Amino acid sequence: MSAQQRLNVLKQHLTPEQELANAVDPVNSMKEERAKASFDISELTHLLDGGKGASELRERMMLEIERDPLFTMHDIHDISKNELRERTMEKFRSMIHHLQNESVDTFKKRMEVISLIDPGFWTRFGVHYGLFVGALQSNASPGQLSYWFEKGALSLSGMVGCFAMTEIGHGSNVPGLETTATFDEASDQFIIHTPTLTATKWWIGGAAHSATHASVFAQLIVNGKRYGTKVFVVPLRDPKTYNLLPGVNIGDIGKKMGRDGIDNGWIQFTNVRIPRGYMLQKHTKVSRSGEVIEPKLQQLTYGALLQGRVAMVVDSGNVSKKALTIAIRYAAVRRQFANSKANGVETKLLDYPIHQRRLMPLLAQAFAMHFTGSEMSAMYNNMMGRLESAGPNDPDMAEVLEMLKETHATSAGLKAFCTWNCLNTIEQCRQSCGGHGYSAYTGLAGMYNDFAVQCTWEGDNTILALQSGRYLISSYREAVAGKKLSPGVGYLNNLKTLIGKKCNAAKVEDIVTPEVIIEGWQVVCANVVKNAALEFEDCLKDGLDIDDAYEQCSQSRLYAARLHSYGYLFRRFAEGVAKVEGELKSVLMDVCLLYGLYTIEENAGAFLQYEYFTPKEIEYIRAQTNFLCKAVRDQAIPLVDSFNLTDYIVNSPLGRHDGNVYVHYFDQVKRQNPQGEHPYFDRLIKPMLERDIDGGDYDDEAAGLESDDSDDETD
């Protein structure tokens, strides 16, 4: 007897009530979804992780962190800011052990996992190793780097670092920072000073309670002349007593929207003296006699600033995966309303076309950000390798600088639009969970609060998008002048072919291919970049200088950057899928095409304006988007399972792997909120209820209800 036959026999012995309960059981519902898998889930996991070995390493790390008592996370929503900050510092002990015993690449993978578990700790630890140590690596000479590493910067012994760039009056405008570093030749020292309130260092992670040293960004002044913003190491506290050093004033900036495990603070300096050698002099050098030697190529100093942006593209994909795992698993077991033919069995949320439309394009977008993030990381690492080994007179320096320009502009646009996309994904996932999405325990509210900062730190998104748009205009003008552009904007070398081009698909069904979608994006992007460039040139003809002209066409720059970024995301996704074979290619192609058609639909105005698609073709694209939403929906649970996030990582009862969401949800609420004596009945509620009010005696058991005989009495 087959398994299905045995199941049918068992069903014959069930009462109608038992049969209904079995049909709507969340655990059974989840099993039904996993049975639909048309591909090997572990194979997709290995592809996303970069190989079977990488997946096994990641799984080992997830287990180690879950079993580490310092990383208890189930009660994270119910502890105070101070408790959270203490826990954050406790975790340093565990991480230092791994840091000292793992390779750099392995430790980076560990921190990537931790970013999904506790983004506040990930940031706090990253302030020292990513920002403070990163500032040393990017700006210190070899001798200076050795000095600070020997003093304990790398081993986190004798010092804890912070990164003091942002001021209360300046964020994205780094050249406009007001803190000064004035060279005193007589003493061979720099004087670090906060000249105004707006020069107060602000949002400095680790400053409030834990940092002993800061990498301070300040205006270099030598002999009365300003040389721009440079980096200085400034001691803040005595490492043994933690007393503030003379001239240093520090405070706590208090409660934030999220990531409260980080002790963000403010810093003011009053004529604080540091040795000349505490200015990091890999690029700009100041001699004992006050001679300033600046680098021949200022652009070489920018490379290290891009690491954070590239990391946030990757993080946007990872956090989107976590949010979608919660929302899609919940939608697979949550039932709402039954149609007339369902015998009382309510419909899964995931079976409603509108819910598919709500979540499936976002799932496709998460995959697009994953593939693009992987490609951006490889591009960044390649660029930095060449940058580190390049000298001003190297024959391929021009090519390296072009690569730097492209990586700078592309990472700026992608950082902006990927973090915006991720934040929107989290909120859409929260809303798709209905009322339960509002509970802190479901994880999405806190996830939104923690992630929101990514849209403004490391460069405000709008400013970064405008930088990308400026690069596109510059690239257009270079292309018109005959220069061969780097691959990311290479389509601008084909302006004569792309401007005015229409989709030449023989029939409407032929639209749905990666080649047509890529060409469509190139045509649209070529047109919007051209229009932005022409608007810029008109401003120049009207007498505006270059900076004012760019500001005047800022809306066109932003629009061009938006469409360029979406086209770039799709192309990277399609290129990634093209390398895949077998069953995986089929399912990933559906996801890829869904992303392509969805983004065209979202920007249909541009495709119609430049007449690449006709209105009829856009209508077909809408219909195919619906079709692909259903196709991807059928594989939705296997797809989110391929993200390979354990229940500990997901940390949400609605996203539990077994689907038993209500049991886990109820258990967590009871565990975190034990019943006991009423906390304020005697003090607040009882006095209110028992206060004397004239005419307030309600002893009548009828409670004001009219007599049943009242109608008879009127007859």
Side-chain angles (χ1 to χ4, degrees), residues 38 150 182 199 206 243 252 329 332 352 406 413 448 575-576 649 662:
S38 64
E150 287 170 9
T182 305
N243 292 331
D252 191 333
R329 283 180 176 171
Y352 285 105
E406 182 192 357
Y448 184 94
E575 288 171 351
I649 298 281
Y662 302 115

Side-chain angles (χ1 to χ4, degrees), residues 4-246:
Q4 186 60 48
Q5 289 173 324
R6 287 197 298 273
L7 185 61
N8 291 335
V9 170
L10 287 173
K11 283 185 175 180
Q12 293 174 4
H13 297 283
L14 295 176
T15 66
E17 291 79 10
Q18 290 172 323
E19 194 167 337
L20 177 61
N22 190 56
V24 301
D25 178 63
V27 175
N28 288 340
S29 296
M30 189 64 79
K31 289 177 180 177
E32 289 171 6
E33 295 296 328
R34 292 202 168 97
K36 295 176 182 178
S38 64
F39 62 94
D40 185 328
I41 294 173
S42 61
E43 188 181 346
L44 180 52
T45 298
H46 299 159
L47 174 68
L48 296 176
D49 290 343
K52 183 178 179 181
S55 294
E56 290 173 346
L57 174 63
R58 196 163 181 266
E59 288 168 357
R60 176 172 66 80
M61 288 175 174
M62 287 192 288
L63 183 61
E64 288 173 355
I65 297 167
E66 180 177 357
R67 292 180 175 179
D68 186 341
L70 295 177
F71 278 85
T72 297
M73 297 301 295
H74 69 272
D75 61 347
I76 198 72
H77 306 294
D78 291 298
I79 61 177
S80 69
K81 180 186 73 176
N82 289 339
E83 289 173 321
L84 184 56
R85 286 186 177 180
E86 285 189 27
R87 279 198 188 181
T88 299
M89 286 307 300
E90 283 179 336
K91 292 171 185 173
F92 267 71
R93 187 168 74 248
S94 175
M95 284 303 101
I96 291 170
H97 165 76
H98 294 294
L99 178 71
Q100 293 172 338
N101 291 280
E102 292 177 343
S103 70
V104 173
D105 286 342
T106 299
F107 188 72
K108 282 182 178 178
K109 287 180 170 53
R110 182 178 295 277
M111 289 304 293
E112 189 175 302
V113 172
I114 284 173
S115 71
L116 287 172
I117 300 168
D118 187 349
F121 170 72
W122 174 77
T123 304
R124 181 63 196 87
F125 199 78
V127 163
H128 179 86
Y129 281 104
L131 296 179
F132 178 73
V133 173
L136 294 175
Q137 291 172 320
S138 303
N139 297 281
S141 68
Q144 288 179 312
L145 190 61
S146 296
Y147 171 81
W148 288 109
F149 280 4
E150 287 170 9
K151 291 222 12 148
L154 195 59
S155 59
L156 204 67
S157 57
M159 68 169 61
V160 177
C162 66
F163 186 77
M165 176 187 281
T166 303
E167 296 172 357
I168 193 171
H170 289 90
S172 298
N173 182 16
V174 176
L177 295 175
E178 297 179 77
T179 301
T180 57
T182 305
F183 182 58
D184 178 16
E185 186 178 339
S187 62
D188 197 26
Q189 295 176 326
F190 284 104
I191 302 169
I192 310 297
H193 186 62
T194 304
T196 64
L197 174 66
T198 50
T200 304
K201 294 298 181 182
W202 203 262
W203 286 114
I204 311 305
H209 296 142
S210 49
T212 62
H213 291 69
S215 54
V216 176
F217 286 68
Q219 297 289 342
L220 172 62
I221 303 174
V222 180
N223 294 324
K225 182 179 177 181
R226 288 177 176 254
Y227 290 88
T229 305
K230 312 301 176 189
V231 187
F232 304 79
V233 177
V234 182
L236 304 175
R237 293 180 170 94
D238 182 329
K240 295 182 178 178
T241 66
Y242 257 60
N243 292 331
L244 293 176
L245 296 176

